[in-house]
Amino acid sequence: FVFERRYGEESVIVAVNAADASSSVELPLYARKLSDLLNNESLVLDAGEKAVLSVPPCWLRVLRVNA
């Protein structure tokens, strides 16, 4: 499952995969850059591109949204 939390100007998206297999989800975002706080990765999107997020089995992704 995926959810978003906002506080003031900050936004974080959390994607959880409790299954035994990898999963992916398409996120319709307005952001150009996402920073993965757990996996030390960044995802940079072209204008109008949707983020396709892969989540390994029994793991999660915590993404800081950078406009």
Side-chain angles (χ1 to χ4, degrees):
F1 62 92
V2 178
F3 61 93
E4 178 183 22
R5 292 292 183 255
R6 293 180 186 212
Y7 182 76
E9 296 293 317
E10 295 183 29
S11 180
V12 174
I13 296 172
V14 178
V16 179
N17 181 8
D20 292 334
S22 292
S23 181
S24 62
V25 62
E26 187 175 296
L27 304 172
L29 296 174
Y30 53 86
R32 298 291 307 269
K33 182 178 178 185
L34 303 170
S35 300
D36 191 324
L37 301 176
L38 287 180
N39 301 299
N40 198 26
E41 298 174 5
S42 291
L43 178 62
V44 179
L45 306 173
D46 292 328
E49 182 182 10
K50 291 184 180 178
V52 177
L53 185 63
S54 176
V55 184
C58 301
W59 193 244
L60 66 151
R61 307 273 309 257
V62 179
L63 304 169
R64 177 186 296 138
V65 177
N66 305 305

